[in-house]
Amino acid sequence: MSKLLLRASKPPWESLSAEETLRRGALAQNAGNLLFGQSVYRTLSTPGTEITPDRFASHRKGNDVAYASMVNETYDHFVIPLANAFRPAFRGSLRRLTKLVRRLDIPVTVIGVGSQHKLGDNSATDEGLESDVSAFMSAVLDRSASVGVRGEYTAKFLKQLGYGEEHVNVIGCPSVFMNGQPEPLEKSVGHLSPESPIAMTVSPYVGRLNAIVKSHSLRYSKLMYIPQNQSDLNMMVWGEDRSKPKSPWNPTHTQHPLYVQDRMRFPLDPRTWTEYLSSFEFLFGSRIHGTIAGILAGVPSLLLVHDTRTLELAEYHEIPYVMLTDLRKDIDARDLFERTDYSAYNARQPEVLARYTAFLEKNGIDHIFKKGNDPTEFDRQLSGADLPPMVSTLFASDPEGRFAILNRIKDLHSEQERIGERIEAIEQKLTVAEAQRPRRQPLPRSMKALGRRIMRHQ
């Protein structure tokens, strides 16, 4: 039995409510992490392999020599799926991950890591980040044959740091293969109408998208917005604004029409995410994993590119895309739908899968794409899991969403009663303790007078 430790939030069939997902930080800030984490989990679920998710503990504070010793003693391989980890905001986590890797004696394999740059810029422009990336690469390469990166932009960035083709394999994002070899994707309708069910993904920090959000929210009555950040989930569950944007059409506040009209849904699991999207006719937006979720659901999806982290994956996998800077503010989803063509994507994936599996084999990792390694047990557990539905806003209009809010209120009330009972018990203990405490005898008058004299002379 081969025992693998996998950087992932949880087993794919483990059910977490929206509230528990927030408490645990199970998204690692973005629901997109669930897609490639589950994909790698399934890809490695071969007969004779036991996989344990690290629940993102490997890059969190507090891990020490004891944790590394436990990993060395318990597991045969540490597999690290990553997204755009080579960026300033992830530096602290990258350093902690590097420290852990340096303490390991077992093989370590990194799958799908990427860098993040503005379009036209392939340098880190941050010497500290370059140093941290080099330290991480060095630690991993001491324990692996190569590092799997998302695309050519990341490969070029790493080459500038001294890590060339002998150290790096371009393999794309494993999330594309979450369901195995992709089926050919085709349009189910010839054109869109204002009544067409379409889905939209948005990077709220990209100001150019506000006008697109506004026009499509008004133009398409069945449009649904699929946010991905943990702060978005908090907004949907607890009604706390994610931000106070300059534009009222930025979908990060509870007064936004899409929030008030309950036209937002947040995914807690890849299976329910793709099941929900399967009823849509088109998906577009700036989120790369939101786009891939649409593809996995069999929905024609178009990516709006605004940086290299999304562009390199779109180019490598031949995912249809347009540059956000090339779009008119009055662009219509009907036009985007017309230019969405999946013929190149369909033809490309067999070659991409072959490169991915060759990388895994190069690093001594067994996988389900080998004959006889069907992930039967994985698929059985996932299909039988009772996973929570997509999360609605607090203005939920469907019974499922309203029941979720009702249960949330019940849980809060129960927790309030438990806290009240604990407070009452503590108060009773304090009352008993106060009654049992010996009372002090009053000081003699002479001692009181001496104390007053001392205080006057301080």
Side-chain angles (χ1 to χ4, degrees), residues 28 119 142 167 197 210 228 279 287 373 387 399 407-408 448:
L119 291 172
D142 283 344
H167 307 113
N210 292 329
Q228 291 180 207
S279 63
R287 294 286 195 179
N373 278 354
L387 299 174
N407 290 331
R408 193 177 306 152
K448 292 181 180 180

Side-chain angles (χ1 to χ4, degrees), residues 110-402:
V110 172
I111 299 177
V113 68
S115 58
Q116 181 173 327
H117 314 282
K118 295 179 180 179
L119 291 172
D121 178 17
N122 204 47
S123 63
T125 68
D126 183 333
E127 292 183 2
L129 177 60
E130 290 181 354
S131 176
D132 290 338
V133 171
S134 292
F136 177 74
M137 290 290 294
S138 177
V140 171
L141 287 169
D142 283 344
R143 294 157 181 82
S144 66
S146 61
V147 170
V149 302
R150 293 171 71 164
E152 296 295 341
Y153 292 92
T154 299
K156 290 177 182 178
F157 165 64
L158 291 175
K159 190 172 184 178
Q160 294 173 2
L161 302 184
Y163 300 98
E165 294 180 359
E166 69 275 23
H167 307 113
V168 172
N169 293 118
V170 177
I171 60 171
C173 184
S175 59
V176 171
F177 305 109
M178 190 179 77
N179 298 330
Q181 174 68 58
E183 296 291 332
L185 185 58
E186 305 290 344
K187 294 178 181 178
S188 61
V189 296
H191 63 276
L192 299 182
S193 72
E195 291 74 39
S196 294
I198 63 175
M200 177 176 64
T201 70
V202 171
S203 305
Y205 51 85
V206 181
R208 281 178 171 267
L209 291 169
N210 292 329
I212 294 175
V213 171
K214 177 181 179 180
S215 62
H216 287 80
S217 299
L218 297 173
R219 196 176 296 159
Y220 291 90
S221 60
K222 294 182 180 179
L223 176 140
M224 297 296 290
Y225 168 49
I226 316 296
Q228 291 180 207
N229 284 91
Q230 180 171 296
S231 50
D232 294 310
L233 178 59
N234 187 71
M235 177 180 69
M236 297 181 72
V237 171
W238 301 120
E240 298 177 359
D241 291 346
R242 172 178 171 173
S243 67
K244 295 181 180 179
K246 294 180 180 179
S247 169
W249 286 100
N250 188 290
T252 57
H253 59 99
T254 56
Q255 301 301 310
H256 196 283
L258 292 176
Y259 190 97
V260 175
Q261 296 167 15
D262 190 35
R263 294 165 64 192
M264 294 184 180
R265 292 293 182 274
F266 195 97
L268 297 176
D269 292 279
R271 195 198 77 190
T272 50
W273 189 355
T274 54
E275 286 174 351
Y276 176 75
L277 290 178
S278 64
S279 63
F280 289 83
E281 294 176 354
F282 182 53
L283 181 148
F284 73 98
S286 60
R287 294 286 195 179
I288 182 61
H289 286 108
T291 303
I292 292 174
I295 296 171
L296 292 168
V299 179
S301 305
L302 183 76
L303 179 68
L304 307 182
V305 169
H306 64 91
D307 62 8
T308 61
R309 63 175 170 161
T310 55
L311 178 60
E312 69 176 349
L313 280 178
E315 289 181 337
Y316 183 72
H317 287 284
E318 296 279 6
I319 296 171
Y321 73 91
V322 294
M323 305 302 295
L324 186 57
T325 52
D326 294 340
L327 291 182
R328 308 184 317 272
K329 288 185 178 180
D330 62 346
I331 189 67
D332 191 288
R334 285 176 290 188
D335 300 325
L336 297 176
F337 181 77
E338 291 297 329
R339 66 174 76 180
T340 301
D341 182 356
Y342 268 83
S343 56
Y345 171 87
N346 293 334
R348 171 74 168 158
Q349 299 325 299
E351 179 185 351
V352 172
L353 178 58
R355 291 187 182 185
Y356 178 36
T357 55
F359 164 78
L360 295 176
E361 293 166 12
K362 180 180 179 180
N363 283 276
I365 299 177
D366 200 12
H367 57 82
I368 63 169
F369 297 102
K370 281 185 179 179
K371 189 175 182 180
N373 278 354
D374 296 333
T376 305
E377 180 59 21
F378 178 97
D379 292 343
R380 184 193 66 78
Q381 290 193 66
L382 184 59
S383 63
D386 184 15
L387 299 174
M390 301 282 281
V391 180
S392 305
T393 72
L394 292 178
F395 291 88
S397 55
D398 61 287
E400 196 171 47
R402 290 180 178 179

Side-chain angles (χ1 to χ4, degrees), residues 3 5 52-54 57-58 63-76 100 103-104 106:
K3 295 186 176 182
L5 179 65
T52 301
D54 72 345
S58 299
N63 287 338
D64 53 15
V65 175
Y67 182 83
S69 297
M70 180 278 294
V71 174
N72 280 324
E73 293 170 5
T74 309
Y75 302 102
D76 302 308
L100 171 64
R103 290 170 172 164
L104 298 183
I106 61 176

